[in-house]
Amino acid sequence: MSLMLFGLLAVMLVFMFVNTRKRQKQMKAEQEEKAAKTLPGVKVLMQGGLYGTIVEYDSQDLDRPARVEIAPGVVIEVHSQAILRIVEPTEVVEDAADTDAEAPAEPATADEVKVDDMPDPNHIETPEETRARLERNGDSN
């Protein structure tokens, strides 16, 4: 009876050892892949939920802090393992039927904003521009 229990214990220990080794190899491969993809200029998600762009990263020395730009001109140092994953850009594909359905049926009136007057959606507002915009909006109310 006790010989059978020792055999069962031995089988369980071997099973645990094999599973642990398999998981360690998988995690090491994932870490090496992430380190290879983490290059300056790549957009990343950090464990705190912040998105940023890698400025400096040493894939050989993981104890050295990585430098990440979270806003224009704002560079922070984080532990290299605080980088959760690389953010892959996604392409937005519009359906032609949806764009036709959303087109205005009436011509634009003079009161409506013209497309040329709209700000560039890729423009990042500087702190001075933000302050000036808020002051203009505050004066008009």
Side-chain angles (χ1 to χ4, degrees):
M1 179 77 163
S2 65
L3 185 61
M4 193 161 116
L5 288 176
F6 282 125
L8 183 61
L9 181 62
V11 169
M12 287 178 51
L13 288 174
V14 168
F15 178 74
M16 287 175 44
F17 179 75
V18 169
N19 277 346
T20 302
R21 294 282 296 167
K22 182 179 173 183
R23 180 66 183 150
Q24 284 177 347
K25 285 182 182 180
Q26 182 182 11
M27 288 188 65
K28 185 175 182 179
E30 288 174 2
Q31 187 178 28
E32 288 175 356
E33 180 184 352
K34 183 178 83 168
K37 287 183 177 180
T38 307
L39 301 169
V42 174
K43 190 168 183 175
V44 295
L45 172 65
M46 293 182 287
Q47 287 191 6
L50 293 173
Y51 287 92
T53 305
I54 297 291
V55 174
E56 181 182 335
Y57 180 81
D58 188 2
S59 62
Q60 302 300 321
D61 183 13
L62 295 179
D63 289 331
R64 186 169 179 215
R67 298 185 68 208
V68 180
E69 183 179 40
I70 57 173
V74 180
V75 178
I76 60 172
E77 288 186 352
V78 297
H79 192 278
S80 59
Q81 292 180 345
I83 298 171
L84 187 61
R85 64 181 169 92
I86 308 296
V87 178
E88 302 292 336
T90 57
E91 294 184 23
V92 178
V93 179
E94 292 186 18
D95 188 17
D98 291 342
T99 56
D100 292 340
E102 294 175 7
E106 303 173 4
T109 62
D111 296 334
E112 293 182 22
V113 177
K114 295 180 182 177
V115 174
D116 296 335
D117 295 338
M118 294 181 68
D120 180 19
N122 296 327
H123 174 71
I124 298 175
E125 196 172 62
T126 64
E128 292 80 19
E129 292 172 333
T130 304
R131 190 174 300 113
R133 179 179 49 81
L134 292 174
E135 287 173 359
R136 279 194 312 268
N137 290 347
D139 291 342
S140 65
N141 289 335

